[in-house]
Amino acid sequence: MWTYLKHYKLSLFLAIFLKIVSSVMNVLEPFVLGLVITELTSNLLDMAKGVEGAGINTGYIFWVLLIYAVRALFYEIGAYGSNYFMTRTVQHSIRDLRNDMSQKINHIPISYFDKHQFGDMLGRFTNDVETVSNALQQSFLQIINAILSLVLVIAMVLILNAKLALVVLLSMPITYFSAQAILKKSQPYFKRQANVLGKMNGFVQENLTGFNVLKLYGREEMSAKEFVNITDELQDVGFKASFVSGIMMPILHGISDFTYLLIAFLGALQVMAGKMTIGNVQVFVQYVFQIGQPIQTLTQLAGILQSAKSSLERIFQVLDETEEAANVTETLDKDLTGQVSFNHVDFQYIEGKPLIRDFNLDVEPVWSDDCRCWSNWSWQDDTD
């Protein structure tokens, strides 16, 4: 897909840069709020102890909240700008992809269309392209945001408290390997689902366009049974793909919730021992969710990414198809007279499965007074 995206590198890199800005601003939010909570807690404790001159440090809190507002502004600019430039990049790239598919279809052999159902081909040009477009537009930036958030949050927790950071770091491989195990189970089902959907589209298109032929030969019941078999297969594989992919979220939520409780308990012990402030514990708890959220986001996108991967494979099966040779090797040794002749012609796409055998046809030119030209209107057929 990079072949198409690279033509719009400027917009793509702008989208990535702005997403980095928004990710950094998002990670800074708990830390900035933690400064305010720590200061307020300290002021309230001094007031409770009756310390002379104790009160709310409004000046400090004002400047911290101002920084928080500036952070929020940059976050919104980054989020909006990244979505704008990413949408622009994806739509232009998908347009180029559709144009290439449209040109390709005019250069591949006719035998390719005889081997594939028309509805399946139509699905590659419509459903599969749209699936790839949605995946790029909705998932690409979310993946970048998830990876950046993981890296930045890990750095922040290590700076705040290395001991508590170990608890968070230990939960990450557990979450990752749990998700990977489920993904390996669901990927074959998603690929099979895309193939069965293409099969169903082809069946519906061919049977609707040829409905009169079905009625003529009384094949309605047979066609209905075949359609039921296809839909049953689609229902079965679709259920398995959705179910296996769907059980990831409860598992990941359970891991995240357990980590949250453990951090809250250990953080409270640190506060009572005077080794951490309440504000930093609050920051740590929020970072636990910020670490769990990217992994959950990646798993939520797993279904979309797997469907897009399957669709992209089907698209490039068409684009990678060998084109029909256009080199003209025959030359005419005399002028055309208008006569058309086929002498003992045999034709087949696949060896051993002939379509035409010993075809003979002669069409003689006839002078037409109406258009004052030679035309072919009478012919003799001698077909075996």
Side-chain angles (χ1 to χ4, degrees):
M1 196 62 202
W2 173 247
T3 305
Y4 298 95
L5 293 173
K6 68 181 182 181
H7 297 298
Y8 309 98
K9 290 186 289 188
L10 179 60
S11 295
L12 179 62
F13 291 151
L14 276 173
I16 295 174
F17 171 75
L18 291 171
K19 179 53 68 174
I20 292 173
V21 171
S22 66
S23 297
V24 172
M25 296 299 108
N26 185 50
V27 171
L28 287 176
E29 179 182 8
F31 180 75
V32 176
L33 289 176
L35 295 175
V36 175
I37 293 173
T38 299
E39 184 64 21
L40 284 173
T41 303
S42 177
N43 295 160
L44 292 173
L45 287 175
D46 289 342
M47 293 171 63
K49 294 176 182 178
V51 176
E52 186 178 353
I56 302 299
N57 190 351
T58 55
Y60 176 84
I61 294 174
F62 170 79
W63 285 108
V64 173
L65 291 178
L66 181 61
I67 293 173
Y68 181 84
V70 173
R71 179 215 61 84
L73 178 63
F74 276 100
Y75 170 79
E76 294 297 334
I77 292 173
Y80 174 81
S82 60
N83 287 329
Y84 172 80
F85 286 111
M86 192 64 209
T87 301
R88 178 183 176 88
T89 302
V90 170
Q91 292 304 317
H92 282 77
S93 299
I94 294 300
R95 179 199 60 190
D96 295 343
L97 177 62
R98 287 195 177 102
N99 289 338
D100 284 354
M101 293 182 70
S102 178
Q103 294 177 9
K104 182 71 177 185
I105 202 172
N106 294 319
H107 293 87
I108 56 180
I110 298 176
S111 59
Y112 182 84
F113 299 96
D114 287 339
K115 297 174 184 176
H116 294 81
Q117 292 180 316
F118 179 76
D120 180 59
M121 288 294 298
L122 187 63
R124 296 172 193 248
F125 279 77
T126 54
N127 296 340
D128 289 336
V129 173
E130 196 63 27
T131 299
V132 174
S133 175
N134 292 335
L136 282 174
Q137 192 163 319
Q138 298 174 10
S139 307
F140 184 76
L141 290 179
Q142 292 188 50
I143 292 172
I144 293 176
N145 181 64
I147 295 173
L148 283 173
S149 296
L150 285 173
V151 174
L152 293 173
V153 169
I154 290 172
M156 292 297 294
V157 296
L158 287 172
I159 292 171
L160 290 173
N161 191 297
K163 293 181 179 179
L164 287 182
L166 290 176
V167 178
V168 178
L169 294 177
L170 287 174
S171 69
M172 292 179 61
I174 297 175
T175 303
Y176 172 77
F177 287 115
S178 299
Q180 280 297 107
I182 298 172
L183 284 176
K184 288 181 180 179
K185 292 289 185 180
S186 61
Q187 174 62 31
Y189 293 124
F190 278 100
K191 188 173 182 178
R192 185 179 164 197
Q193 183 183 27
N195 292 331
V196 176
L197 185 60
K199 180 181 177 181
M200 187 186 71
N201 290 335
F203 179 85
V204 171
Q205 190 277 332
E206 290 183 358
N207 280 267
L208 286 179
T209 55
F211 182 73
N212 291 333
V213 178
L214 290 176
K215 292 283 290 183
L216 179 64
Y217 290 95
R219 294 178 58 89
E220 299 95 330
E221 185 175 350
M222 184 179 297
S223 177
K225 289 181 179 179
E226 187 176 353
F227 180 74
V228 169
N229 292 333
I230 295 175
T231 53
D232 286 345
E233 183 181 5
L234 182 61
Q235 182 271 335
D236 179 63
V237 71
F239 170 78
K240 291 178 180 178
S242 299
F243 176 77
V244 175
S245 181
I247 63 175
M248 285 191 293
M249 290 308 299
I251 294 175
L252 298 184
H253 272 302
I255 297 172
S256 179
D257 292 341
F258 179 77
T259 305
Y260 167 80
L261 293 174
L262 192 57
I263 288 294
F265 175 73
L266 296 177
L269 294 179
Q270 294 271 354
V271 171
M272 289 188 291
K275 296 179 180 180
M276 282 189 74
T277 63
I278 294 179
N280 284 345
V281 173
Q282 176 268 337
V283 173
F284 236 98
V285 169
Q286 289 198 32
Y287 279 151
V288 168
F289 283 112
Q290 285 201 5
I291 281 183
Q293 186 177 4
I295 299 176
Q296 292 174 13
T297 299
L298 291 174
T299 54
Q300 284 179 333
L301 296 174
I304 298 175
L305 293 176
Q306 290 177 77
S307 297
K309 182 177 180 294
S310 300
S311 296
L312 202 59
E313 290 175 354
R314 286 163 50 81
I315 290 171
F316 277 94
Q317 284 176 0
V318 177
L319 294 176
D320 294 338
E321 184 68 23
T322 303
E323 295 187 2
E324 190 172 19
N327 297 328
V328 179
T329 58
E330 302 292 336
T331 58
L332 296 176
D333 54 0
K334 58 180 68 175
D335 294 336
L336 296 175
T337 62
Q339 181 180 3
V340 179
S341 297
F342 291 90
N343 296 318
H344 304 289
V345 175
D346 295 330
F347 179 76
Q348 60 185 11
Y349 289 124
I350 302 174
E351 187 176 356
K353 295 182 178 180
L355 297 177
I356 299 176
R357 291 179 177 176
D358 196 22
F359 179 70
N360 298 281
L361 175 67
D362 289 314
V363 182
E364 298 292 339
V366 177
W367 179 261
S368 174
D369 291 329
D370 294 332
C371 64
R372 301 194 61 79
C373 62
W374 292 98
S375 63
N376 300 103
W377 62 274
S378 65
W379 58 281
Q380 296 178 350
D381 185 9
D382 183 17
T383 305
D384 184 11

